[in-house]
Amino acid sequence: LLGGQSAALVTDAGMPAISDPGEGLVRLCRDAGIPVAAVPGPAALTTALALSGMSAGRFCFEGFLSVGHKERAAHLAALAAEPRTMIFYEAPHKLAATLADLLSALGDRPLALARELTKVHEEVIITTLAAAAEKAAETPPRGEYVLVVGGYQKPAGADREEAFAEGLTLARRLVEQGTPPSAAAREAARVTGCQKNALYAALLQRND
């Protein structure tokens, strides 16, 4: 290439240089000032996301998880509260362990398990992390996999609990500033949408 020749980087499936050794070649070319152009082609991550039926407005591509236990645990811990749809790649001989680790770190989530995309034996299974982990532990997986995992969803009632906590904090601050409890509860209820009587009762309970 430095001598003036041209080269094309191709793969049998998927998009070259996306979670692919071709990334290193592109980087070397960039560092050497060699121009690089791309001809858009199928990418497994976007293909799997499109076929999953999950939220595609916002998503994050996490690629292959680290094989190192410490790094892997840290990576998964950082994703526990990730609200976006997450996409992972995995080899068949590591799939069972990865599903078990995802289930342990994230809890049960919706899952689209896609394999051999754009190839003869393409398959997309809509399932859950728990069900997929159980099946993978019993039946050796085959093919290259893309895992599309649902993002974190707050438990039912969590928003109301957070709003009440904010309202109570505001009401207590107003009381500390000299506002009567009834008026403080009324103002906190107006700001947060919580019930005035519940906030007032919580203020009195603390004073007791």
Side-chain angles (χ1 to χ4, degrees), residues 65-78 101:
L65 289 171
S66 172
V67 296
H69 178 73
K70 185 176 181 180
E71 294 81 1
R72 189 182 186 92
H75 188 171
L76 290 175
D101 288 344

Side-chain angles (χ1 to χ4, degrees), residues 2-201:
L2 289 171
Q5 296 188 34
S6 298
L9 172 65
V10 299
T11 62
D12 62 343
M15 181 70 178
I18 300 298
S19 201
D20 176 271
E23 173 187 337
L25 178 58
V26 173
R27 186 183 303 110
L28 287 172
C29 289
R30 293 299 187 191
D31 292 344
I34 298 172
V36 180
V39 179
L45 71 102
T46 50
T47 302
L49 179 61
L51 295 174
S52 72
M54 294 188 194
S55 176
R58 297 185 65 206
F59 65 92
C60 55
F61 176 56
E62 299 298 325
F64 289 94
L65 289 171
S66 172
V67 296
H69 178 73
K70 185 176 181 180
E71 294 81 1
R72 189 182 186 92
H75 188 171
L76 290 175
L79 294 174
E82 172 57 65
R84 296 173 294 179
T85 301
M86 296 169 282
I87 304 173
F88 302 87
Y89 284 170
E90 194 52 278
H93 64 284
K94 297 179 181 177
L95 181 66
T98 293
L99 288 170
D101 288 344
L102 286 169
L103 179 61
S104 177
L106 308 180
D108 201 12
R109 301 276 185 92
L111 170 70
L113 197 57
R115 73 181 188 95
E116 298 295 280
L117 291 174
T118 74
K119 298 181 182 180
V120 175
H121 300 293
E122 176 180 311
E123 182 181 32
V124 180
I125 301 172
I126 307 302
T127 180
T128 65
L129 281 175
E134 182 178 358
K135 183 175 180 180
E138 298 173 350
T139 306
R142 300 177 63 183
E144 299 297 321
Y145 284 85
V146 183
L147 287 68
V148 185
V149 182
Y152 173 75
Q153 300 291 324
K154 289 183 178 180
D159 289 335
R160 293 193 298 272
E161 292 175 3
E162 290 180 6
F164 185 81
E166 292 174 3
L168 186 56
T169 298
L170 174 59
R172 287 171 175 169
R173 187 180 304 120
L174 291 171
V175 169
E176 291 172 357
Q177 295 171 356
T179 304
S182 179
R186 181 170 59 251
E187 176 61 15
R190 183 189 69 79
V191 172
T192 62
C194 297
Q195 292 185 351
K196 172 193 168 184
N197 291 343
L199 291 170
Y200 182 66

